[in-house]
Amino acid sequence: MNCEEVKELLYDYIKNEVSTPEISDIETHLKHCEACESELAHIKGISSLLKAAMEEPHESVYLNISRSLKPAAVKKIAWLKPALAAALVMIIAAGAYLYTLPKKSELAEVPKAIVESYAVVENTYVEEEEAEDAAASDEGTYAATSNYTGGYTPVSYIIGQ
Amino acid sequence: MDRRFEAIYRDNARYVYNVAIGMLRNKTDAEDIMQNVFIKLFDNFDAFRGDSSIRTYLYRMTVNKCLDLFRLRKIRESKLEKIDLPQEKNHSAGNELYSLLEKLDPDLKSPVLLSEIGGFSYKEIGEILGINLGTVKSRIHRGMNKLRELAAKEASI
């Protein structure tokens, strides 16, 4: 390596930004070259002066930063907003679901309808027995009757088929 | 202050401050920038993963804010009449060196300061400034050579 090449790499050498072979070449050259050795000393001198000129920031900077930071509580509950929003959506959805369910008064109609249908069946069975008796006595045409007017077709009731 | 923040502040404040002073040669401006940068970092701390990204962010913000302020000053200076203003005395030692540093272009100043004050590698400097490794080397070499020339000129006067 010649002086021009070495001088180009001296700062990189100080900063450990050269390869291992380059380190070896530079150090070999420096052993025998006062000019490059002097150049290295100048660069190190400027580097030292820059570091020596450093100052500490005033403590008031630290205090101002501390005072200006967002309170930890505000940051900690930052997750709360989306959680509340999700809970609200669930409450609305649950409310909508409950609204679509049949009302209690409507539900009460169902057993009533079933009871009434059984009552019709029972009545019909009574009438049927009477009809059978009548038929047995005079071989009249058996006719099924139903006085159920509820609008439902009794499931267990099929006569005359 | 949160303990994590305190540790980050204590580890980096001195270097951030001196990079800002080196860029602007004004203590008040350097303190303002330093405050803004640390407040922004701590308020958005949860977004960071790992110390290296924190340091890169810290110094990138510092350099960018210094460059913004530097450009703003240049615009203002070009609009004002030339008035002799007393120079603010920033340092008891090394004042001359910082006055030499002031004569460098911001593009040359920032990588030199990040290398000398921040102690960053060339690769890290490239990440902070958004430039490639070759450009980092070139600017640092030119910056240091210019400083040496200016120092030699001062010494000969």
Side-chain angles (χ1 to χ4, degrees):
Chain A
M1 248 187 206
N2 60 36
C3 287
E4 199 177 321
E5 288 167 335
V6 169
K7 281 177 185 175
E8 191 62 32
L9 290 173
L10 281 178
Y11 189 79
D12 302 340
Y13 168 71
I14 293 168
K15 293 292 173 184
N16 291 319
E17 295 279 352
V18 289
S19 64
T20 310
E22 284 173 330
I23 293 173
S24 175
D25 289 342
I26 290 166
E27 288 177 350
T28 305
H29 181 93
L30 287 172
K31 278 179 189 169
H32 308 288
C33 181
E34 278 184 29
C36 288
E37 189 66 48
S38 173
E39 185 74 12
L40 182 68
H42 279 133
I43 293 171
K44 282 183 177 177
I46 289 178
S47 190
S48 300
L49 281 173
L50 278 169
K51 289 181 177 63
M54 284 172 65
E55 288 193 6
E56 290 293 332
H58 199 271
E59 195 63 21
S60 62
V61 174
Y62 174 84
L63 293 170
N64 289 339
I65 291 168
S66 294
R67 281 191 214 117
S68 303
L69 292 176
K70 283 181 195 170
V74 171
K75 285 159 86 175
K76 275 183 184 170
I77 63 169
W79 59 268
L80 195 57
K81 273 186 192 171
L84 279 174
L88 195 62
V89 167
M90 285 175 65
I91 288 167
I92 292 169
Y97 172 70
L98 288 171
Y99 184 77
T100 58
L101 288 177
K103 294 185 178 55
K104 196 176 176 183
S105 57
E106 289 174 359
L107 288 170
E109 292 294 325
V110 175
K112 187 185 171 187
I114 291 171
V115 166
E116 283 177 355
S117 71
Y118 279 118
V120 168
V121 169
E122 191 181 338
N123 288 342
T124 305
Y125 282 154
V126 168
E127 289 169 3
E128 195 178 311
E129 280 174 14
E130 289 173 353
E132 279 176 359
D133 289 344
S137 63
D138 62 5
E139 294 184 3
T141 305
Y142 172 74
T145 59
S146 171
N147 61 357
Y148 178 72
T149 57
Y152 291 95
T153 305
V155 175
S156 58
Y157 178 59
I158 299 173
I159 291 188
Q161 301 295 326
Chain B
M1 197 189 277
D2 188 307
R3 274 188 186 178
R4 295 171 301 171
F5 299 167
E6 187 144 349
I8 291 166
Y9 181 83
R10 296 296 178 206
D11 287 345
N12 293 281
R14 186 169 181 247
Y15 306 101
V16 168
Y17 179 57
N18 284 279
V19 165
I21 286 181
M23 294 288 292
L24 301 168
R25 207 170 165 247
N26 183 298
K27 279 187 182 179
T28 310
D29 288 344
E31 285 175 356
D32 283 346
I33 282 173
M34 197 180 138
Q35 275 175 198
N36 289 339
V37 165
F38 274 103
I39 288 166
K40 196 160 184 189
L41 168 66
F42 295 153
D43 278 345
N44 297 290
F45 191 71
D46 293 336
F48 291 95
R49 292 170 195 170
D51 289 340
S52 61
S53 64
I54 291 170
R55 285 193 81 218
T56 305
Y57 173 87
L58 205 48
Y59 287 88
R60 185 187 296 140
M61 285 282 289
T62 302
V63 169
N64 286 342
K65 285 188 181 294
C66 288
L67 290 172
D68 288 344
L69 193 56
F70 181 81
R71 283 179 204 122
L72 191 64
R73 271 194 202 157
K74 282 284 180 189
I75 292 167
R76 284 179 185 160
E77 280 169 12
S78 67
K79 288 178 180 177
L80 288 171
E81 289 179 4
K82 287 189 180 176
I83 304 165
D84 276 332
L85 292 168
Q87 287 291 323
E88 186 182 322
K89 298 224 180 282
N90 288 303
H91 310 274
S92 52
N95 195 8
E96 289 154 15
L97 188 62
Y98 274 80
S99 66
L100 294 179
L101 203 55
E102 197 182 11
K103 292 176 184 174
L104 289 186
D105 265 349
D107 284 349
L108 301 185
K109 227 190 290 189
S110 50
V112 168
L113 286 166
L114 288 171
S115 177
E116 288 300 317
I117 306 296
F120 289 99
S121 67
Y122 287 0
K123 185 181 172 215
E124 287 168 330
I125 293 169
E127 286 169 8
I128 291 167
L129 298 177
I131 54 178
N132 64 42
L133 197 61
T135 308
V136 172
K137 275 189 184 181
S138 164
R139 289 184 185 180
I140 286 180
H141 290 170
R142 282 160 51 207
M144 289 301 287
N145 286 339
K146 185 76 181 174
L147 270 180
R148 282 197 53 239
E149 285 171 21
L150 291 168
K153 207 173 173 182
E154 281 287 317
S156 66
I157 294 169

